Amino acid sequence: MKKLQRMGSALVVLLLVLSIFAVYQRVGSFGFVDFDDGLYVRDNPRVASGLSPGGIKWAFSLEPSKSEGTYYHPLAWVSHMADVEMFGMSPGRHHLVNLSFHLGNTLLLFLLLWAMTGAYWKSLLVAAMFGLHPVNVESVAWIAERKNLLSTFFWLLTMFSYWFYTRKPGFGRYAFALFLFALGLLSKPMLVTLPFVLLFMDYWPLERFAADEARPVPVQSGTLKKRAALLVVEKAPFLVLALLSIGGAVWSLGGQVEASHASAGLRLAQAAVIPVIYLAKLILPLGLGVYHTYPVSVPLWHAAGAGLLSAGACVLAFLLRKKHPYILVGLLWFVVTLVPVLGIIQGGRWPAYAERWAYVPFMGLFILLAWGTPVLLKKLGGSLHFSAAAFVTLLAFWAGLSWIQVGYWQDSLILFCRAVEVDRNNSFLENNLASAYKELGFLNQAVVHFQKAVVIDPQSAEAHINLADAYALKGRKAEAERHIHAALALKPNNARVYAAMGCAYDALGEDRKALACYARAVEIRPNLAEAHFNMGAGYARMDRAPEALSAFERAVEARPGYAEAHAALGDTLAHLRRPDDAARSYREALKIKPGLLSAKVGLQRLETEGMKEASPGK
């Protein structure tokens, strides 16, 4: 009988894994999206080169923070390099690695809670909610969010190691937990709140605050204050690492950690309502998007009401702590782990809130639901079977929403069309949607959305220069130049602005002005591959093959995975009568992008010319 029960329990776990896989398996056919995937993988020459001593040294240096504007997370970079080393630039495989991490995190969460509490079905329920909830789709379906998945993997391993330490305290076990925590911080600094969560777990379910020596893992007898103080001191090395990580993140970003466009008052008001926004998305996860912009204002009564609601919930949880300690622990887990992403201090392009930031905080709420709902339903007269049926229905509902949400990540156009539906009046999203249309050749639609981006945010140099480029492609010179000058006034020393200006002048047929813009762009940022490529194309049109060759070589050096640049290099080498070198460039282009027509045509032309030269009598 027990054997059958164990088999049944194992089958339920297998069913959960298969359910999560069924929801997400389509990502294996998805591509990169134009939202940080280029920065982290596709267009990053260091990552595109795979694993190498030089690449690893780069990842652990401060260079990525200076050149890419990212905070310090070297293990995330190394993880992407490992993907490229194993799978090349095939985005589907990178997506599937993300899915593997999510499945691993789900199973680790289940095993951790089961080990700590002995409650098999409640632990499995927490894991099921975590694995299937739509809020987590962004972290899984977005290649650039590997850092979130990887850091959570180390978060859970740290907690597991810490649990082993509490069962039998010793320096080795403690040091190993500390080591795993350090790896997590090197994946993403958001783990800085983990020492506090370990303290919460000491209270429940580990019960290390208990004075009774019969408890499984008491600290020692004595007053509650003394036991609490010892437990806090025990976390001191973890806190030191957390503080070092915070300092390192701020230092690595240098002057990029700033208050953003949102005023201090708006940021504080938004920080107050963020927990309530997430609570609403917990039960009814609708309106999920990739970038939620700040509102113009947050009404005072919204902020005050949300703050009172959060404070009231914490007070109630504290009052119920003796009979229901999981309520306090789950709520504190949720609130404390949200603190780093409340947006009071910001760096880079900071949204009002983001679904990916709920990946770890929601674990606390899932614990609260799994342990608390059966108790509540019992008090209301509901049976255990009714409770189980309610959760199965909820999980099925969440899984269906997740399946729909996964589909939005298929490509950039679908992603940003959906994002604009969710968050209207968002300049950043309108600009990205317009870029997606332009990439596919839908120029009229691109112009419409670039115009919207400029209207929403006239201070966006990126929107101005993109609109200028679109106008130039349509031959509207006056409008193009007006927006070029507007962008330059906003960002006079920005390499990407100059590169985009060059594209606009290219479209207007003004090659010399375009080349001057590209030259200025690479002077500011020497590794800007697009500028080198476009400069090479300009030189090629002017029949200046040696300069074109140099520019294309710089482009592929800056971005080894730049298929179009390899093909253009092949064309230039063929023009210079270097067929063997040209063939190598064409093959490299086709290796990166097998369907690239220019490389296929170039290689076929070389083969045809080679056959003609080898024919008798020729």
Side-chain angles (χ1 to χ4, degrees):
M1 187 66 180
K2 287 184 178 181
K3 185 177 180 180
L4 287 174
Q5 288 178 337
R6 286 196 296 270
M7 287 179 62
S9 300
L11 286 173
V12 173
V13 175
L14 179 61
L15 178 62
L16 172 60
V17 171
L18 292 175
S19 299
I20 297 171
F21 183 79
V23 167
Y24 284 100
Q25 52 83 25
R26 287 179 294 164
V27 299
S29 63
F30 290 0
F32 294 112
V33 295
D34 291 323
F35 187 30
D36 281 358
D37 280 356
L39 170 70
Y40 279 93
V41 184
R42 185 191 60 200
D43 303 334
N44 190 308
R46 293 287 189 175
V47 175
S49 299
L51 278 174
S52 67
I56 294 171
K57 181 181 178 181
W58 171 85
F60 278 88
S61 73
L62 291 178
E63 187 182 338
S65 300
K66 294 175 181 177
S67 61
E68 312 298 347
T70 61
Y71 49 80
Y72 192 68
H73 46 47
L75 282 189
W77 291 117
V78 173
S79 173
H80 288 302
M81 291 175 186
D83 279 6
V84 173
E85 188 71 26
M86 291 185 289
F87 312 121
M89 297 300 288
S90 171
R93 300 294 182 88
H94 293 246
H95 279 296
L96 290 175
V97 173
N98 271 21
L99 174 54
S100 299
F101 270 110
H102 182 57
L103 285 169
N105 290 339
T106 301
L107 292 174
L108 274 174
L109 180 60
F110 160 61
L111 294 171
L112 173 69
L113 292 175
W114 184 23
M116 285 185 169
T117 66
Y120 180 91
W121 292 106
K122 290 176 182 175
S123 302
L124 186 61
L125 178 57
V126 171
M129 289 189 283
F130 173 77
L132 294 170
H133 200 283
V135 162
N136 290 340
V137 168
E138 183 175 303
S139 293
V140 183
W142 186 10
I143 289 174
E145 268 306 285
R146 172 68 56 79
K147 54 186 177 291
N148 205 23
L149 299 164
L150 185 63
S151 62
T152 303
F153 180 70
F154 285 117
W155 171 291
L156 293 167
L157 284 179
T158 301
M159 293 189 75
F160 232 126
S161 183
Y162 178 75
W163 174 73
F164 275 112
Y165 158 74
T166 63
R167 304 301 296 176
K168 188 178 180 182
F171 176 77
R173 294 188 177 200
Y174 184 89
F176 188 60
L178 202 61
F179 171 69
L180 291 172
F181 179 54
L183 293 180
L185 291 171
L186 292 174
S187 304
K188 187 177 182 180
M190 194 172 169
L191 266 71
V192 293
T193 56
L194 180 53
F196 300 98
V197 176
L198 294 179
L199 198 61
F200 303 154
M201 302 304 279
D202 282 337
Y203 181 72
W204 182 88
L206 298 180
E207 298 182 333
R208 298 183 74 213
F209 282 81
D212 185 0
E213 294 294 339
R215 297 283 189 180
V217 283
V219 179
Q220 67 171 56
S221 60
T223 65
L224 177 61
K225 287 184 179 180
K226 185 176 180 180
R227 293 194 302 276
L230 288 171
L231 289 171
V232 170
V233 170
E234 183 185 57
K235 308 302 180 295
F238 288 90
L239 289 168
V240 169
L241 280 183
L243 290 172
L244 288 173
S245 179
I246 293 170
V250 173
W251 183 48
S252 67
L253 286 171
Q256 297 179 72
V257 177
E258 52 186 280
S260 85
H261 65 281
S263 66
L266 179 57
R267 296 198 311 275
L268 287 170
Q270 180 67 18
V273 302
I274 283 174
V276 178
I277 292 173
Y278 282 124
L279 284 171
K281 289 185 180 288
L282 172 72
I283 303 301
L284 197 61
L286 302 176
L288 307 181
V290 297
Y291 186 86
H292 301 284
T293 191
Y294 268 86
V296 175
S297 64
V298 175
L300 181 60
W301 72 271
H302 280 193
L308 287 173
L309 182 62
S310 298
C314 290
V315 169
L316 181 61
F318 180 78
L319 294 175
L320 295 172
R321 71 189 185 283
K322 290 186 177 179
K323 285 189 175 181
H324 308 288
Y326 50 82
I327 298 177
L328 180 62
V329 169
L331 194 60
L332 287 176
W333 181 320
F334 168 66
V335 172
V336 169
T337 53
L338 274 182
V339 169
V341 291
L342 290 178
I344 298 171
I345 302 295
Q346 303 182 358
R349 192 189 299 274
W350 197 276
Y353 66 93
E355 278 80 25
R356 60 187 177 275
W357 292 340
Y359 195 69
V360 168
F362 266 22
M363 292 179 186
L365 295 182
F366 294 147
I367 290 171
L368 192 158
L369 284 175
W371 264 262
T373 303
V375 174
L376 179 61
L377 290 176
K378 186 177 180 180
K379 287 184 178 294
L380 295 174
S383 66
L384 181 62
H385 294 295
F386 176 78
S387 178
F391 272 116
V392 169
T393 303
L394 182 64
L395 288 172
F397 172 63
W398 284 349
L401 291 179
S402 292
W403 191 87
I404 294 170
Q405 190 66 24
V406 167
Y408 295 133
W409 286 88
Q410 184 173 344
D411 58 42
S412 297
L413 183 61
I414 295 172
L415 178 66
F416 289 112
C417 277
R418 173 58 179 170
V420 166
E421 286 179 7
V422 171
D423 287 279
R424 300 191 182 278
N425 204 39
N426 188 321
S427 177
F428 173 74
L429 294 179
E430 291 285 358
N431 189 70
N432 281 34
L433 175 57
S435 297
Y437 274 124
K438 180 186 166 190
E439 183 73 20
L440 294 171
F442 299 112
L443 199 55
N444 290 333
Q445 291 91 329
V447 168
V448 169
H449 290 283
F450 281 137
Q451 287 172 334
K452 287 182 180 180
V454 169
V455 170
I456 294 168
D457 184 7
Q459 301 302 307
S460 172
E462 183 180 13
H464 278 290
I465 201 63
N466 286 338
L467 180 56
D469 187 32
Y471 277 141
L473 289 170
K474 291 178 70 67
R476 295 164 64 175
K477 182 176 180 180
E479 291 101 322
E481 290 194 325
R482 178 161 58 87
H483 287 284
I484 285 173
H485 293 308
L488 197 58
L490 289 166
K491 288 191 175 180
N493 292 304
N494 186 280
R496 290 200 176 276
V497 168
Y498 275 103
M501 284 171 60
C503 290
Y505 281 124
D506 265 342
L508 292 170
E510 299 190 24
D511 288 339
R512 294 191 182 281
K513 284 186 178 180
L515 286 173
C517 289
Y518 296 137
R520 178 62 179 145
V522 298
E523 181 184 344
I524 297 169
R525 188 171 174 180
N527 288 326
L528 192 57
E530 297 92 336
H532 286 295
F533 173 77
N534 290 329
M535 188 184 296
Y539 282 131
R541 285 194 300 271
M542 298 169 73
D543 202 25
R544 294 165 60 177
E547 292 98 323
L549 178 67
S550 176
F552 288 135
E553 286 176 339
R554 292 289 300 276
V556 298
E557 180 184 343
R559 193 200 300 173
Y562 201 165
E564 290 79 5
H566 281 286
L569 178 60
D571 289 339
T572 307
L573 289 165
H575 180 74
L576 292 171
R577 303 296 180 185
R578 294 167 57 182
D580 292 340
D581 293 333
R584 276 194 290 272
S585 291
Y586 288 136
R587 292 191 184 101
E588 184 64 28
L590 291 171
K591 180 181 175 183
I592 298 165
K593 188 179 287 188
L596 187 60
L597 184 60
S598 59
K600 286 183 176 180
V601 170
L603 193 59
Q604 187 175 15
R605 185 173 58 244
L606 281 181
E607 291 172 351
T608 302
E609 290 174 355
M611 285 189 290
K612 284 181 179 179
E613 290 175 4
S615 298
K618 297 293 183 182

